[in-house]
Amino acid sequence: MEAGLPDRLKRTGDAPEVGIVHLGPGAFFRAFNAIYTDEVRGDAPWGICAVSLKSPTARDQLMPQGGAYTAVELGPEGEVRRVIGSIARVLVAPEDPAAVVDAMADPAVRVVSLTITEKGYCHNPSTGALDPAHPDIVHDLENLGAPRSAVGFICAALDRRRTKGEAPFTVLSCDNLPSNGVLAKGVVLDFARRVSPELADWIAAEVPFPATMVDRITPATTEADVSRLAEAEGYEDPAMVVHEPFRQWVIEDRFASGRPDWDKAGAQFVESVEAHELMKLRCLNGTHSTLAYLGYLAGHETISDSVADPVFAALCERLWAEEILPTVPQPEGEDLPAYAAALLERYRNPAIRHRTWQIAMDGSQKLPQRLLGTIRDTLQDGRVPTGLCLAVAGWMRYVGGVDEKGATIDVRDPLADRLKAASDGAETPEEKVAALLAVRDVFDEGLAGNAAFRDAVTAAYVSLAGKGARASVADYLDGK
């Protein structure tokens, strides 16, 4: 160790016995799954073998520390630090794929969990089906003994268990995707059918793929975070993660061979997560996008900055009470008004710097799920959700690429050029709204042709163009 540098964090005591293999040991996994598991594992064999499918970074950060690392909770009153010891070992798949298959095929492993992001499922996002032309899938179908993809590793390990007459493991997707269990099962079965019909039939009959809903804001760890931890605790920890205090994990209770008692750490085991997914999508993601566009236009850099403005805090409360919650089915074990109130407290946390510009990215992909579904349901009930229509108009102003002071907005969106061209090609607010409503990748014909929706969005756009975002939100709150 160089002079003046603190010693590296080291595990104290023995590593836990492995009962879980986790694919994708990034920051979210370390701030979420591994913490839940650490809190309930006790002496039970629920240690984690973490597998990186691409980069050696996680291994190089964690294994010199025996798998231990620090999780730092960023709360309004300051930081709470704790060392997490649930990770027993880390493998790097490209270096030794056979070792990964061996680890997953070990009968002691009862759960294989995933945080591999949407692209890790090697599927077509528009259909949810496996993409057989994906380079990793092409490779794995020809080299099942040395896979590259998560799907290939799962099928290789399950095939070994099947041929040896051993019990399967549960495949637990923890990615922030709707119906993630259905997605995981679909791509695995499709791949398995291309390998062996017998394997596919066995997986369909024996392997559970419970869906989950996960929620915890996990900002990227910075060098400043690592330095601050070293100064506070006297050790270096490049594997550290930072996270907000809040967390929620909702899991369908279907497991092949047991599971950790994650419920003792606050996880919710339910029959179905669909209602929880919709609750999060509409309540959290819907208001996040609303604050992203309207807050950005009003000059607010972060979500916490936005809701520190009483007008925008009141906007969230009005949207939840009058426009969003009436469209959300009651999730098992949830108090919807209390959930919304907790969201506002999360938004107010100044230690979590969630930039409005970042949340505003890829709006053409997000709007249909986050806002338009709620609007469609409300219109079908005979009501016009004017607040959410104001949010849609805010998005339209934003993708025009010029803010309220005349400065250029750096719009990051797959359709950015097309959206700007539609906006620039129209002169009046009414024409701009009509041009953007004609973009079928975002607005379907039924919604775009709804006169009440069109009129509400147009009126909101006229207000934004004439008065600005903050005054328009204040008018909405005043019923104008």
Side-chain angles (χ1 to χ4, degrees):
M1 184 66 67
E2 294 180 28
L5 290 180
D7 290 334
R8 191 83 172 255
L9 172 68
K10 288 290 194 299
R11 175 185 293 279
T12 57
D14 296 332
E17 183 180 344
V18 171
I20 300 169
V21 170
H22 183 85
L23 307 182
F28 181 79
F29 157 74
R30 280 179 260 172
F32 193 80
N33 306 59
I35 295 179
Y36 272 99
T37 303
D38 192 63
E39 291 178 4
V40 303
R41 63 185 172 85
D43 295 326
W46 288 119
I48 301 169
C49 172
V51 176
S52 175
L53 295 171
K54 301 291 183 185
S55 165
T57 300
R59 188 268 316 277
D60 294 346
Q61 290 177 339
L62 284 161
M63 290 317 294
Q65 304 175 179
Y69 67 96
T70 312
V72 181
E73 179 181 294
L74 303 176
E77 287 78 40
E79 298 183 352
V80 178
R81 298 175 288 272
R82 54 172 297 201
V83 174
I84 306 300
S86 54
I87 299 175
R89 59 194 290 229
V90 184
L91 300 176
V92 182
E95 294 180 358
D96 192 349
V100 176
V101 176
D102 289 344
M104 295 169 66
D106 186 336
V109 170
R110 291 178 278 172
V111 175
V112 170
S113 51
L114 316 170
T115 51
I116 55 176
T117 75
E118 184 174 12
K119 64 184 179 182
Y121 292 85
C122 302
H123 73 305
N124 183 330
S126 64
T127 65
L130 183 75
D131 177 6
H134 190 288
D136 288 349
I137 298 302
V138 172
H139 171 276
D140 290 357
L141 287 170
E142 296 175 355
N143 303 276
L144 195 58
R148 292 176 181 169
S149 71
V151 176
F153 277 111
I154 289 168
C155 285
L158 286 173
D159 193 37
R160 187 180 299 180
R161 290 201 182 200
R162 178 184 68 90
T163 56
K164 289 188 173 183
E166 294 167 347
F169 47 74
T170 297
V171 178
L172 187 69
S173 171
C174 300
D175 282 292
N176 190 19
L177 300 167
S179 303
N180 53 18
V182 173
L183 171 61
K185 183 174 184 178
V187 294
V188 167
L189 284 177
D190 191 337
F191 185 98
R193 287 190 196 99
R194 297 167 190 270
V195 173
S196 156
E198 292 79 15
L199 173 61
D201 290 344
W202 184 79
I203 291 174
E206 301 294 335
V207 180
F209 291 80
T212 67
M213 189 272 272
V214 299
D215 190 7
R216 170 168 263 182
I217 297 171
T218 308
T221 302
T222 66
E223 291 184 6
D225 294 325
V226 176
S227 297
R228 193 168 61 253
L229 175 65
E231 185 174 343
E233 298 292 342
Y235 59 74
E236 181 191 13
D237 181 5
M240 69 166 290
V241 291
V242 295
H243 57 78
E244 68 169 328
F246 179 90
R247 66 183 185 184
Q248 186 174 24
W249 196 6
V250 187
I251 310 168
E252 290 178 350
D253 200 0
R254 295 185 290 108
F255 289 78
S257 305
R259 56 166 173 77
D261 294 327
W262 286 313
D263 48 318
K264 292 182 179 177
Q268 300 161 254
F269 285 100
V270 298
E271 286 295 316
S272 170
V273 302
E274 279 189 28
H276 291 85
E277 289 176 345
L278 192 65
M279 173 187 73
K280 180 190 175 191
L281 187 67
R282 294 191 173 184
C283 294
L284 187 157
N285 299 130
T287 51
H288 248 185
S289 286
T290 299
L291 292 170
Y293 299 115
L294 296 173
Y296 182 98
L297 292 171
H300 296 306
E301 183 183 0
T302 67
I303 293 296
S304 60
D305 292 339
S306 298
V307 295
D309 183 335
V311 166
F312 284 92
L315 170 65
C316 290
E317 293 174 322
R318 174 75 66 84
L319 290 176
W320 285 319
E322 298 184 3
E323 300 187 13
I324 296 175
L325 291 184
T327 74
V328 177
Q330 177 63 48
E332 180 182 341
E334 289 290 344
D335 179 329
L336 287 170
Y339 177 79
L343 285 178
L344 188 56
E345 289 308 305
R346 295 171 68 187
Y347 294 173
R348 285 180 167 139
N349 183 354
I352 301 294
R353 293 191 57 76
H354 227 168
R355 295 174 64 195
T356 51
W357 176 78
Q358 290 175 312
I359 298 167
M361 290 179 182
D362 303 329
S364 66
Q365 314 298 300
K366 296 173 179 176
L367 242 66
Q369 291 77 32
R370 295 184 172 200
L371 295 175
L372 302 187
T374 311
I375 290 170
R376 191 178 292 107
D377 287 352
T378 305
L379 291 169
Q380 288 175 352
D381 287 343
R383 295 175 288 113
V384 179
T386 53
L388 293 176
C389 291
L390 176 60
V392 172
W395 171 77
M396 290 179 171
R397 282 280 287 171
Y398 183 90
V399 299
V402 180
D403 69 15
E404 294 179 1
K405 296 180 179 179
T408 299
I409 301 172
D410 181 10
V411 178
R412 303 288 181 91
D413 191 287
L415 304 182
D417 292 342
R418 184 174 160 196
L419 296 169
K420 182 166 176 53
S423 180
D424 288 351
E427 293 186 7
T428 68
E430 292 81 1
E431 291 171 343
K432 289 180 183 292
V433 170
L436 289 164
L437 287 178
V439 178
R440 288 291 168 263
D441 296 77
V442 182
F443 303 97
D444 63 63
E445 289 187 20
L447 184 59
N450 184 292
F453 173 64
R454 180 184 294 265
D455 290 348
V457 174
T458 301
Y461 192 102
V462 169
S463 178
L464 290 170
K467 299 180 178 180
R470 192 180 190 281
S472 297
V473 170
D475 282 353
Y476 161 71
L477 296 170
D478 291 339
K480 296 180 182 179

